[in-house]
Amino acid sequence: MEQQKRYGHFDDQHREYVITDPQTPWPWINYLGNEDFFSLISNTAGGYSFYKDAKFRRITRYRYNNVPMDNGGRYFYIKDGDTVWNPGWKPCKTPLDFYECRHGMSYTRITGRKNGVEASVLFFVPLKKWCEVQKLTLTNNSSETKHLKLFSFEEWCLWNAATDMENFQRNFSTGEVEIEGSTIYHKTEYRERRNHYAFYHVNTAIQGFDTDRETFVGLYNEFADPQAVMEGKPRNSHAHGWSPIASHYIEVTLAPGESKDFVFLLGYIENEQDKKFESLQVINKDKAHALIAELDTTEKVDKAFAELCEYWDALLNIYKVRTGNDKLDRMVNIWNQYQCMVTFNFSRSASFFESGVGRGMGFRDSNQDLVGFVHQIPPRARQRIIDIASTQFPDGGCYHQYQPLTKRGNNDIGGGFNDDPCWLIFGTVAYIKETGDFSILDEMVPFDNQPGSEVTLFEHLKISMDHVIKNLGPHMLPLIGRADWNDCLNLNCFSWDPNESFQTTENVSEGTKAESLMIAGLFVVTGKDYVALCKKIANGQWSMVNGQCDFADEAARMQKAVDEMIEAVKKHGWDGEWYLRAYDFYGRKIGSNECEEAKIFIESQGWCTMAEIGAEDGMVAKSLDSCKKYLECEHGMVLNNPAFTKYIYEYGEISSYPEGYKENAGIFCHNNPWVIIGECIAGRGNDAWSHYAKILPSYVEEKYQTLHKVEPYVNCQMVAGKDAFRPGEGKNSWLTGTAAWMWYTVSEFILGIKPDYDGIRIDPCLPETATDYTVSRKFRDAEYEITIHPNGAQKGVKSITLDGQPIQGTVIPYSAGKHVVEVTM
Ligand code: BGC
C-alpha cells in the first residue's frame, strides 16, 4: 500500500485533532457554539457565524465553492516590516516558520510563527452567550523590539444568507454601520423591521478602522493583499451601502520576550421593539456594552473558556470506555460523541457541503440524530421531540423538514415521505429509555403547529404507526410515497425534465404499486418498540393524564400489524439470498437477482435483519452473507450492487449519479451501521467489527488522509464506492446521520450497554480478539462502572454481578448511586 501524506494527528489527552500543514486536501473544519450562536471555522480560519438559523440570521458572509476554496473568514493580518502574514497561513499564504491548528471540543486554536513573532488565536463561543471570542496572543520571541501593524477583518452578511448572494440591486444600497470607540456595529436593515444588530469589538484602543470592503481591499485586490494592509494604512472608511465589513487597526510594540493579549468579540444583539434606538438612527447599544463588559479582559475570557471545557468534560463523562485500543477509545469517548452533538445542533443545515440556505431540520434526520445525543442533554432531546411532532399532520404524515427559527414545516418540500412517521417512535422510545420520563407521552402537541389541534404525544405515535398501516400496497407492504430513507429512490416521480426536483415534483400516488421493504423493516423494528411501550403503560408503569387508550388492546392491535408485516416480507420481500428493496410503480421487483443492475440494496438488508425477519428460516444469515459478498469493499459497504449505469425513469434520482457516488453505489456511511447492528443481533461479532472498523474515522485516518480528503476525525456522509473513479474518497463531512448511527451501534450493540426502561441491558457483540474492557456509564441518577470479560466469545452474557451480588437476566435494574458491575461472557 502506498504511504499517504499526513496532515495531522490526534491528541487524545487534550481531545484535539492537531493539523500541522495548512494545505489539507480539503478545508478541515470545526464547529463553535452549543445552543444559539454558532460558527464554522476551517483550519485556516475560514468560515462564518450565525445566530440560530444559518439562513435567516447569517452574521458574517461566506462564498461557497469559491476559487480559491474556502476564502473569507475571520482574518488577522500582521504587518511586520514588509512582511504581511496570517496566523492561519491564509489568505496571504506567506510561508510560515510554524503552523498549527488544534480543533477541540467547540473551540479552535490556530498558531502561526513568522520572523520571531508568534500569533496564536483561540476561537470559541462562550456558553450561553451570543458571541464568538477570538483571543489573539502576540509574542515576540526575537531579540529585537517589534513594531507590528495588526489588522482584523470580518465581512458582514446582510442577514438573509440566500438573498445576500442574489439581490444585489437592493443589497448594495442597504448596508449601514456605526463606529463607536473600538466597536464596529453592523446595523443593516435595523431601521426597518429588524430588531437585531451585530458588532465586532476589540478590548484595546485602536488607531484606525475600515468598514467599507472596497476601500479596505481595493477593487482589484484580494483578501490576500488588501490595499490598506499592504500599505499599512487604514482608511477609516464608513460604509454606506455596498459591502460593509469590520476591520480594526492596532499598532503593537513588543519588546523581546514580551507577549500581549487582544480579545476580539463578534457579537449579536436583539433589542425590544420600543428600545431599539437611542436617538434618531442611533442604535441602542446597552446590551452590546453589557456583553462586551462580560468579556473584556484576558481573565474573563479564560474563565469563560474554562467553563466551556468543564461543560465538555461533563458531557463526555457520561459514557466512557477503556478498551486499550486507542483508535476505538478516542472515537467512542471523544469524536463520535462530539460529532453527534454538532449534528444534533445543525441537522443538515450548515457545513462546507451544506450552504445553510437550502434545508431546514429534517423530520427523519432529527429523530435519528437524537439517538446520538439523548444521553448527553436529555431535556434538549425532549424539546426536539415536541418540536418535530408539532410538524406532523393529523393523518400521521409529516412535513419532511422544518425551519429552526420558526419551527414551522417547510412548504417548499412538503410531506409524503412515508418512512418519516416511524422515526418519531424511534426517537421517542430512545428518549424514554434513557430518562425513564414517560411524562413526555402526556405532552399536548399540535398538528402542523396549529393552536387548538393539540393531542398527546402518545397519540402522535399512534397515528404514526397507523399511517404505515393505512398506506399499504398490493403486497401488503408499505407504500413508499415520495421516497423512504433513500431520498433518491423516487418511484412515483417520473421525470424527464432536468428543471424539476426529484423530491418535490408531483408524487404520482394514484394507482401506484410502489412499496418499500426498507419501511417494512423499519415498521417491524419500531412497531416492536411501540408494542413494548404500550405494554409498559398497560402494566402500570405510567398512567396517562391527558389521553385515554386501552393500552393492552393497543399493544395487541399493533402486534398483529407487526406480525402481518413480517409475513408480508417473508412472502413477497425475499429474493432467495437477500431481501428485495422495493416494488416499483407497476409492481415490478427492485433489488432482485432478476434485475439487470442494482440487484441488491443495503437498506432493506439492514432493516430486515435488525427486525430479524425470517431469522428462523435462515433469511437473516443469508442476507448478511450477501452484504459481505456483494456490497462490501475495502472502504465499507456500498449502497447497491451493481451500480446503475443508465438513468431509469421509473427510479428517479438514484440512477442519475455516476457509478459509485452518493445513492448510486456509494458507501453511504449512514446505512452501514444498520447491517452492523443486524450482524450484532445475529451474534456475528467478527463481521460486525470488520464492517465497523472500515468506516471508523480513526482507522481511516491512519491509512488514507490524502485519498479520503475530508476531516479524518469525523464521519462523512459518503465515501466513493468500489465502482467510482476514486474509491475511498470522502465527501460531505460532519452533518450526517452516520454520527448517531455509529454511536448507537458501538455504544449499544458492540460494547453492549443498552439503556432500557427499567435499567441497563448488557448485551455486547464483539470480535473474538476483544479483551476485557470497562465502560463508565452515567444513567439517570446512577453511575455504573461496568467491566466486561469477553473470554473470546462473540456474543452471549453468562453471568452478571451487581455490587458483588449475582443478578438474574441481563438487565441491571436501575437504582440511584454508584454501582460496580462485572459481566462474564
Ligand atoms: C438526507 C437523509 C436521507 C439520506 C439518503 C441525506 O442527505 O439528509 O434524509 O435519508 O440523504 O438519501
Side-chain angles (χ1 to χ4, degrees), residues 348 354 359 364-365 400 484-488 662-663 668 670 717 732:
R348 307 294 173 271
E354 299 278 9
R359 307 213 245 176
R364 74 159 84 91
D365 293 345
H400 196 46
D484 60 25
W485 169 84
N486 190 332
D487 274 341
C488 299
K662 291 280 287 177
E663 279 87 342
F668 216 95
H670 187 142
Q717 181 205 54
N732 198 356

Side-chain angles (χ1 to χ4, degrees), residues 172-449:
F172 284 165
S173 294
T174 57
E176 286 192 286
V177 297
E178 260 180 60
I179 302 120
E180 181 199 56
S182 302
T183 315
I184 295 163
Y185 293 88
H186 162 43
K187 59 172 185 176
T188 304
E189 291 190 350
Y190 188 78
R191 63 165 69 220
E192 35 129 342
R193 293 156 299 173
R194 294 189 187 276
N195 66 341
H196 50 262
Y197 60 80
F199 67 83
Y200 193 36
H201 166 85
V202 59
N203 70 341
T204 187
I206 58 175
Q207 285 73 50
F209 61 86
D210 271 294
T211 67
D212 179 66
R213 189 184 67 196
E214 268 71 61
T215 312
F216 176 76
V217 177
L219 192 56
Y220 298 99
N221 290 44
E222 300 171 20
F223 290 142
D225 59 354
Q227 269 177 4
V229 177
M230 300 325 275
E231 291 169 18
K233 274 195 222 110
R235 294 352 192 204
N236 297 336
S237 58
H238 192 130
H240 296 277
W242 300 108
S243 288
I245 59 157
S247 171
H248 305 96
Y249 169 71
I250 305 165
E251 291 170 356
V252 187
T253 299
L254 290 175
E258 194 184 352
S259 181
K260 272 186 191 159
D261 287 339
F262 302 87
V263 180
F264 291 84
L265 216 59
L266 177 72
Y268 171 86
I269 299 292
E270 282 182 1
N271 273 337
E272 291 74 36
Q273 194 59 30
D274 58 341
K275 297 203 184 89
K276 279 178 68 171
F277 295 99
E278 194 179 296
S279 57
L280 181 67
Q281 294 183 11
V282 179
I283 62 178
N284 176 348
K285 305 182 187 65
D286 292 350
K287 288 189 187 174
H289 293 158
L291 178 54
I292 289 168
E294 287 173 40
L295 291 156
D296 58 354
T297 65
T298 299
E299 293 68 38
K300 290 179 193 176
V301 165
D302 290 349
K303 186 162 169 278
F305 183 60
E307 282 162 12
L308 178 70
C309 296
E310 280 159 25
Y311 171 83
W312 273 103
D313 280 345
L315 285 182
L316 297 178
N317 270 335
I318 295 167
Y319 190 123
K320 252 190 165 160
V321 69
R322 295 188 298 280
T323 64
N325 173 350
D326 288 349
K327 291 202 274 292
L328 177 62
D329 289 3
R330 72 167 62 107
M331 291 319 298
V332 174
N333 296 337
I334 306 171
W335 293 97
N336 193 180
Q337 295 200 57
Y338 182 55
Q339 187 181 3
C340 284
M341 163 75 112
V342 169
T343 310
F344 176 82
N345 280 333
F346 287 79
S347 192
R348 307 294 173 271
S349 70
S351 73
F352 273 26
F353 293 86
E354 299 278 9
S355 65
V357 301
R359 307 213 245 176
M361 317 280 279
F363 192 99
R364 74 159 84 91
D365 293 345
S366 296
N367 273 300
Q368 293 171 77
D369 295 346
L370 206 131
V371 171
F373 170 84
V374 61
H375 65 294
Q376 294 188 320
I377 313 183
R380 286 189 68 196
R382 191 183 206 274
Q383 185 57 49
R384 181 64 63 83
I385 292 170
I386 307 289
D387 290 349
I388 298 170
S390 306
T391 65
Q392 198 169 26
F393 300 116
D395 73 347
C398 6
Y399 277 108
H400 196 46
Q401 293 172 6
Y402 71 98
Q403 284 309 127
L405 199 66
T406 58
K407 296 190 175 173
R408 297 278 157 154
N410 189 339
N411 274 315
D412 297 343
I413 179 131
F417 294 77
N418 283 353
D419 63 316
D420 273 338
C422 291
W423 296 111
L424 187 60
I425 292 151
F426 183 70
T428 307
V429 165
Y431 169 79
I432 300 176
K433 286 186 173 172
E434 179 66 39
T435 57
D437 172 20
F438 282 77
S439 77
I440 190 172
L441 298 172
D442 249 320
E443 286 293 331
M444 297 300 284
V445 182
F447 292 113
D448 192 10
N449 278 292

Side-chain angles (χ1 to χ4, degrees), residues 709-729:
K709 245 183 165 148
V710 291
E711 296 88 337
Y713 35 92
V714 290
N715 273 109
C716 56
Q717 181 205 54
M718 197 257 336
V719 174
K722 54 185 172 177
D723 311 284
F725 180 70
R726 212 175 286 112
E729 190 182 64

